[in-house]
Amino acid sequence: MRTTRVGVLAIIAVGTVGLATVGMSPASAQGGGRHDLHGSRPAWQTNPKFQKTGTVATSKKVTAKVWLGANNSSDLAALAQSVSDPTSASYGKYLTHDQYVAQFAPTQAQVAQVKSWLTSDGLSVTSVGSDNHYVAVSGTAAEVSKAFGTTMSTYKFDGGTVQAPDSTLSVPNSVTTPVLAITGLTPAGHTVQPQSQPQDLGAPAGFVNATPCSSYYGQKDATTLPKFQGKTLPYAVCGYTPKQLRGTYGVGNKQDGSGQTVAIVDAFDSSTLAADASTYATRHGDPALRRGQFSDLSFPEGASTASPDPIGDCGGNGWYGEQALDVEAVHGMATGANIQYVGAASCFDDDLLASLSKIVSINKASLISNSWGEPTVIANDPADGCTTDTPCLTLDQSTIDAYQSIFQQGAVQGIGFYFSSGDDGDELANAGYIHPDYPAGDPWVTAVGGTALGVTKANTRQFETGWGTNKYSLTADGKSWDPTTKTWLYGAGGGFSQLFDQPFYQRGVVRNNPTGGRAVPDIAMDADPTTGMLIGETQDFALPSVFGPAGVHYGEYRVGGTSLASPLLAGVQAVAQQRAHGRLGFANPLIYSLAKTTSSFYDPASKGPDAGNIRSDYTNGYNNADGFLYTVRTFDQDSSLNVNRGWDDVTGVGTVTGTYLDKVARRY
């Protein structure tokens, strides 16, 4: 899971948010025949650290998306809960897409009303989103300011200057269609990091795992290196293959996810994605993607209006490895499942929402894996006024409303959303404030945490514990591990929300909740990079390696993170759905009901592992010409988060087993 904070959209003391359950934002009346769109103002404008420097030139082109709310939104939320709750008589009785549209989607007449408002103020409507979720517009800054009742201004921000509306946005009272959010007016906000061939960004830089490494956990011990805490540690695995992971998690060989479709959302779109996945599969004994099994419905790379430089701001082809990981992990766990890839035009919410909306409208995929997210709260940038006393929220209420409208549509159609819980533990070291990431922290999604996994030679679980890593380097004389070099690197995200109440499905399972809020994660899978999965990708190798000469070609490397955990689980759930002969939909109520009554999950607290393992790296990243670097990477040391019996804030209820699949097959 790669994240880059480009900016902060709202600076609000967390205490003012409280523990209220997030729902659709009401609008309040104001003078001049307009009403405010609550939660839409970039509140950081009131912070003196963000100095207004002027107004945007009135003739400058500005674009935006106007997100429309569902009709009968309270009924939609109630239905989404009832069809997802195993104790409800409506459990599993999902709507077809046409039924959703008839009951809840904004109508053509409502869209026409919104178009009339926007065009009357001089804006041009450029498109209408799937199921009428949004109306995209463009126009001059003067026209945008008039339409949304604000002024487009410029501010000092993060060492530069950004544009943003300088007040709460508003809607004319004559517009009775519910408006949830207006996105795209500023590049300063919640962003995430980790289509067409002519716009391809090129192969990313290459990387090669160093040897020695182990084919299965504990195969090779580092006998020539110093002991750690009195014990000789094993070398890290070279990277588990899908066969090893299928065996460990009880997937077996009888079902392969046939008849199911998993969607994947990332930013951008590698032109070698499908070919690399097929090459990888066949190299490791699995079937290549068959004709029609993989579909690419991505938006053109960089065709975003959310920032002046969406490709540069979002890390460009750095996303390609994420895409390869996601596709190969899903295919590895469910070799018969269809995969629908929908790359967003950028890493901004404005574009990611459009990808998610497209998937639920098509309604072919019933599982959506998302290996992206961002801290909800920032306090580590005092220059921008972000401190522990005045933390900065990266999200505004209206954007949350837009996400939840899609999540709830998915729930009533039997679609489950899976999000990586994050790779920075409790976020204190990264963001300066302890709080779960978003969207993983939303109560309408399944947050997937991370473990460190030991797989035996027979492809069974040797151990599984929480992913959290301290690194130790060798002393200069190479005789011991230097305690002064101890550095916390990363670990699975988790914690307790201060923005969302604890949802109904966590009651009785999540105990000792310090905030009373939504607890993260819900469930977990392998994520530790030293016990991670081997993936294959076309890369640009600067030096010769075991994969060939310098240049652009296919190569493989081990990778981890909760970016791995989410697609692994989505693949398992595809197999579970095949066995159950139906969609699981929003899976959290089922997951927690199983956790209350059965031993369906493996508890990572049940058996302790080694203290860690030894990672070997080539100094130059490609070959041994310049020597090696050796480090100890520990297990189960995840910031302030801890693995405990039962639910915990690193691994949730635990990891999947063959028993879990059996229980789901009987539709517990």
Side-chain angles (χ1 to χ4, degrees):
M1 177 177 187
R2 305 178 183 187
T3 62
T4 296
R5 185 175 70 90
V6 176
V8 180
L9 186 58
I11 295 193
I12 309 171
V14 169
T16 65
V17 178
L19 298 176
T21 300
V22 173
M24 301 306 176
S25 299
S28 63
Q30 59 162 259
R34 302 181 70 89
H35 53 271
D36 286 343
L37 180 60
H38 277 193
S40 64
R41 184 185 184 190
W44 47 262
Q45 293 156 355
T46 63
N47 188 314
K49 297 286 186 180
F50 294 93
Q51 298 176 17
K52 182 175 178 179
T53 59
T55 57
V56 176
T58 57
S59 60
K60 181 183 178 182
K61 182 180 179 181
V62 178
T63 60
K65 290 186 180 74
V66 179
W67 292 85
L68 308 183
N71 291 309
N72 308 310
S73 59
S74 59
D75 292 342
L76 174 62
L79 180 61
Q81 177 169 324
S82 65
V83 298
S84 306
D85 184 356
T87 67
S88 168
S90 299
Y91 179 57
K93 297 179 181 179
Y94 305 121
L95 299 184
T96 66
H97 174 255
D98 288 347
Q99 288 172 328
Y100 166 82
V101 170
Q103 295 183 43
F104 299 111
T107 66
Q108 293 299 325
Q110 289 174 309
V111 170
Q113 183 189 61
V114 173
K115 284 183 175 180
S116 177
W117 151 45
L118 297 169
T119 56
S120 68
D121 285 327
L123 297 176
S124 297
V125 173
T126 56
S127 65
V128 175
S130 303
D131 295 338
N132 295 337
H133 268 296
Y134 64 83
V135 176
V137 295
S138 67
T140 66
E143 291 163 344
V144 165
S145 297
K146 180 182 178 183
F148 302 136
T150 187
T151 300
M152 293 300 298
S153 300
T154 57
Y155 292 83
K156 286 185 177 179
F157 186 89
D158 202 21
T161 300
V162 298
Q163 71 175 35
D166 65 5
S167 64
T168 297
L169 307 181
S170 63
V171 178
N173 290 339
S174 59
V175 177
T176 58
T177 301
V179 175
L180 295 181
I182 300 167
T183 61
L185 295 178
T186 176
H190 184 262
T191 61
V192 303
Q193 287 279 32
Q195 120 148 22
S196 60
Q197 180 82 19
Q199 293 177 296
D200 189 78
L201 305 178
F207 179 78
V208 180
N209 291 336
T211 56
C213 57
S214 299
S215 297
Y216 55 87
Y217 188 81
Q219 179 197 26
K220 297 180 180 179
D221 288 334
T223 55
T224 61
L225 293 174
K227 293 182 178 181
F228 181 79
Q229 297 179 358
K231 183 176 180 181
T232 298
L233 296 182
Y235 283 106
V237 295
C238 305
Y240 294 131
T241 63
K243 182 179 179 180
Q244 291 176 293
L245 294 168
R246 291 195 300 266
T248 297
Y249 287 118
V251 173
N253 298 314
K254 293 182 179 180
Q255 286 86 24
D256 61 3
S258 292
Q260 312 304 311
T261 299
V262 179
I264 295 168
V265 173
D266 287 310
F268 308 137
D269 179 21
S270 167
S271 62
T272 64
L273 187 55
D276 287 344
S278 288
T279 299
Y280 174 79
T282 56
R283 282 172 62 98
H284 297 285
D286 286 335
L289 292 165
R290 64 183 182 274
R291 182 182 297 274
Q293 188 177 6
F294 178 87
S295 58
D296 193 327
L297 305 175
S298 299
F299 293 86
E301 290 179 321
S304 171
T305 55
S307 83
D309 181 18
I311 291 176
D313 286 344
C314 292
N317 62 12
W319 279 87
Y320 287 4
E322 182 67 69
Q323 296 164 23
L325 166 62
D326 291 348
V327 172
E328 290 164 18
V330 169
H331 184 62
M333 299 305 282
T335 58
N338 294 325
I339 297 175
Q340 187 181 82
Y341 180 73
V342 187
S346 79
C347 65
F348 291 88
D349 291 306
D350 187 63
D351 294 313
L352 293 161
L353 281 163
S355 288
L356 295 173
S357 174
K358 186 174 186 177
I359 294 167
V360 297
S361 177
I362 295 171
N363 202 32
K364 295 289 187 184
S366 53
L367 304 152
I368 306 176
S369 180
N370 305 271
S371 292
W372 45 270
E374 178 77 351
T376 314
V377 182
I378 301 285
N380 66 359
D381 197 349
D384 283 347
C386 307
T387 70
T388 53
D389 294 327
T390 57
C392 309
L393 293 181
T394 65
L395 278 167
D396 59 80
Q397 177 65 59
S398 62
T399 300
I400 292 172
D401 292 344
Y403 270 110
Q404 290 196 337
S405 69
I406 297 172
F407 296 154
Q408 290 172 4
Q409 177 182 350
V412 301
Q413 293 178 194
I415 299 171
F417 294 82
Y418 297 82
F419 279 88
S420 302
S421 70
D423 293 355
D424 292 297
D426 61 15
E427 286 291 359
L428 182 62
N430 176 49
Y433 201 91
I434 295 176
H435 200 269
D437 286 3
Y438 191 87
D442 194 290
W444 286 103
V445 309
T446 299
V448 188
T451 65
L453 174 67
V455 178
T456 69
K457 185 177 182 179
N459 298 342
T460 60
R461 183 186 282 107
Q462 183 181 139
F463 71 84
E464 194 162 16
T465 189
W467 169 41
T469 304
N470 284 323
K471 182 181 85 169
Y472 295 79
S473 299
L474 279 171
T475 55
D477 60 11
K479 294 182 178 180
S480 63
W481 301 102
D482 187 350
T484 67
T485 64
K486 176 183 175 182
T487 305
W488 187 78
L489 290 182
Y490 35 48
F496 302 88
S497 179
Q498 299 177 51
L499 303 179
F500 302 96
D501 282 336
Q502 179 174 298
F504 76 95
Y505 50 78
Q506 292 189 321
R507 296 171 193 153
V509 178
V510 177
R511 300 179 174 88
N512 302 316
N513 187 326
T515 69
R518 193 269 200 263
V520 174
D522 300 303
I523 193 169
M525 297 289 275
D526 184 27
D528 191 320
T530 64
T531 69
M533 178 176 156
L534 194 68
I535 71 164
E537 179 189 11
T538 296
Q539 304 162 67
D540 188 355
F541 292 83
L543 296 171
S545 74
V546 294
F547 296 107
V552 176
H553 53 75
Y554 177 89
E556 297 182 348
Y557 57 94
R558 180 189 62 237
V559 68
T562 54
S563 286
L564 169 62
S566 181
L568 286 178
L569 181 62
V572 171
Q573 295 292 71
V575 174
Q577 290 191 163
Q578 179 189 15
R579 295 186 62 181
H581 304 289
R583 295 185 172 198
L584 297 180
F586 174 45
N588 283 10
L590 172 62
I591 289 170
Y592 283 91
S593 67
L594 288 170
K596 290 177 184 177
T597 58
T598 69
S599 56
S600 301
F601 305 100
Y602 179 83
D603 190 337
S606 61
K607 182 181 179 181
D610 295 329
N613 58 23
I614 305 293
R615 173 168 165 160
S616 173
D617 286 293
Y618 293 127
T619 301
N620 62 24
Y622 295 96
N623 56 48
N624 63 6
D626 299 317
F628 299 84
L629 298 173
Y630 299 103
T631 54
V632 168
R633 307 295 177 104
T634 64
F635 296 137
D636 195 21
Q637 296 181 328
D638 189 5
S639 56
S640 67
L641 310 180
N642 296 285
V643 173
N644 297 304
R645 291 282 181 179
W647 183 93
D648 62 63
D649 52 13
V650 179
T651 67
V653 300
T655 59
V656 297
T657 62
T659 301
Y660 167 77
L661 289 167
D662 290 341
K663 292 287 186 180
V664 172
R666 295 194 289 270
R667 295 303 294 259
Y668 173 85

